[in-house]
Amino acid sequence: MRAKGLETAIRVGGAVVVTAAALLAAVLESFLVPYYIAGIAVPLAGAIAFVANWRLAALAVYWTGGRWSVILTSLTWFAVVLLASMPTGAGSLVIGSGFNGYMLLLAGTAGIALALWQYFRPRPNAKAPSAVGPRPPAQATPTATKESRP
């Protein structure tokens, strides 16, 4: 009984840690949206969002042992990004409508979509024979024997 409680604590702790990591990643990505090098928009936030959303989902599944934990990281990221893209009462916002802002939204959503596909895609039926799976044992065939000379 004690091992089960420890396992549950690890799973809940893992869920809390990956949710906090998704929150931190979304805030960091939001503030990296206006990133320019020599006047050229560089979609660094979008690249980080794609990789972070995809791999944080994998980490969540690993730590919690359930594929539904992908939803934790996805909803956390979407909540932060949606709040950062809404203007405040004074009219300021973190994620502006420009190339980098759209790339953040597109790439982050693509990372989440890839993670969802990876963990929720339909799997082939385990009972159906597979073309690459193990083959049934071959039936024994009698071996040819040489006839003895008379």
Side-chain angles (χ1 to χ4, degrees):
M1 187 68 153
R2 187 174 196 138
K4 186 168 176 73
L6 179 63
E7 182 180 338
T8 303
I10 290 172
R11 289 176 189 245
V12 170
V16 169
V17 168
V18 294
T19 303
L23 181 109
L24 181 64
V27 169
L28 174 72
E29 294 157 7
S30 297
F31 284 105
L32 283 175
V33 166
Y35 189 73
Y36 288 86
I37 295 179
I40 299 171
V42 178
L44 180 65
I48 293 172
F50 177 80
V51 174
N53 287 342
W54 179 35
R55 299 322 300 163
L56 277 174
L59 186 63
V61 170
Y62 176 75
W63 274 348
T64 63
R67 65 183 182 168
W68 290 98
S69 59
V70 173
I71 304 300
L72 286 174
T73 59
S74 304
L75 290 179
T76 303
W77 185 83
F78 272 122
V80 171
V81 169
L82 287 177
L83 286 174
S85 63
M86 288 193 287
T88 63
S92 61
L93 57 116
V94 177
I95 300 175
S97 61
F99 176 71
N100 283 351
Y102 293 136
M103 287 306 296
L104 170 69
L105 296 173
L106 179 66
T109 305
I112 289 171
L114 180 62
L116 289 172
W117 176 80
Q118 185 176 4
Y119 293 107
F120 288 98
R121 70 177 180 250
R123 306 276 187 195
N125 191 355
K127 296 179 182 178
S130 174
V132 293
R135 296 182 181 186
Q139 294 180 356
T141 57
T143 58
T145 59
K146 293 184 180 181
E147 294 180 11
S148 58
R149 294 185 188 170

